[in-house]
Each structure stands twice: as structure tokens, then as C-alpha cells.
Amino acid sequence: MGDSKQDKRRAPRYSSRFSLDVSGAKAKLTDLSETGVGFVTEQPLAPGANVQVSVRHLPDDKHPEPMAAEVVRVERDAQGRYAVGARLGKGSTR
């Protein structure tokens, strides 16, 4: 099993169901680690794109702290949504 995706990750991932803002678009956070995020969105994103992600911890969290990230993986699901993997701390949010 040395070839699995899980084995190639540098940090453990944890499941999550928080809401996420991705450069102004809404998304659902699916997993989170020290080095990256996984999320589902209806907005198409390209690998290599620099995005700004903000996790909404509570429904009334009006100003979550933004983080720079670089899109590293995009897969379209059967419902037409995009499952995205992004590396935190990469790219520019300017």
C-alpha cells in the first residue's frame, strides 16, 4: 500500500464540514491538514491557481482570517461540482 495518496501526504488530514470562502466563492471544506485543504465548490478552478481561503468556524463568523493557497488538484464529480485540493501558504492573495 505504499502507493496510496494517504502515504504521500506530508501531514495527517482531518475531516471537516465547515463552510469555506475561496476567493469570494462559497465552498464546503471536506478535509484540513497543517499543509493543505480539500473542498468542494461549484466554481471551476485550475491547478496552479492562487486562491485565498477563509474558513467560517461559526455561522455568524463575518470576517474569517484569509490564507493563501495554491490549487494542486481538481476533479469533477458526478453532480458537476469540483473537488479541489489546495496547498496552504503558496501563491499570493494580492
Side-chain angles (χ1 to χ4, degrees), residues 21-62:
D21 291 334
V22 180
S23 295
K26 301 293 181 210
K28 280 289 185 190
L29 184 65
T30 56
D31 58 73
L32 177 66
S33 79
E34 181 179 317
T35 60
V37 293
F39 58 92
V40 176
T41 181
E42 295 185 11
Q43 303 298 317
L45 294 168
N50 293 323
V51 294
Q52 183 175 356
V53 296
S54 302
V55 179
R56 292 191 177 277
H57 302 287
L58 301 170
D60 61 348
D61 191 359
K62 303 287 188 230

Side-chain angles (χ1 to χ4, degrees), residues 3-93:
D3 295 323
S4 74
K5 283 183 187 178
Q6 188 66 30
D7 292 341
K8 294 178 183 178
R9 292 181 175 159
R10 288 185 261 167
R13 296 232 168 212
Y14 302 95
S15 295
S16 175
R17 295 290 177 230
F18 287 115
S19 294
L20 187 70
D21 291 334
V22 180
S23 295
K26 301 293 181 210
K28 280 289 185 190
L29 184 65
T30 56
D31 58 73
L32 177 66
S33 79
E34 181 179 317
T35 60
V37 293
F39 58 92
V40 176
T41 181
E42 295 185 11
Q43 303 298 317
L45 294 168
N50 293 323
V51 294
Q52 183 175 356
V53 296
S54 302
V55 179
R56 292 191 177 277
H57 302 287
L58 301 170
D60 61 348
D61 191 359
K62 303 287 188 230
H63 304 287
E65 187 65 32
M67 297 173 279
E70 178 186 5
V71 174
V72 294
R73 177 187 55 81
V74 180
E75 297 174 2
R76 197 144 191 206
D77 69 15
Q79 292 79 32
R81 298 173 302 190
Y82 299 89
V84 179
R87 186 177 310 127
L88 292 173
K90 296 290 184 178
S92 171
T93 59

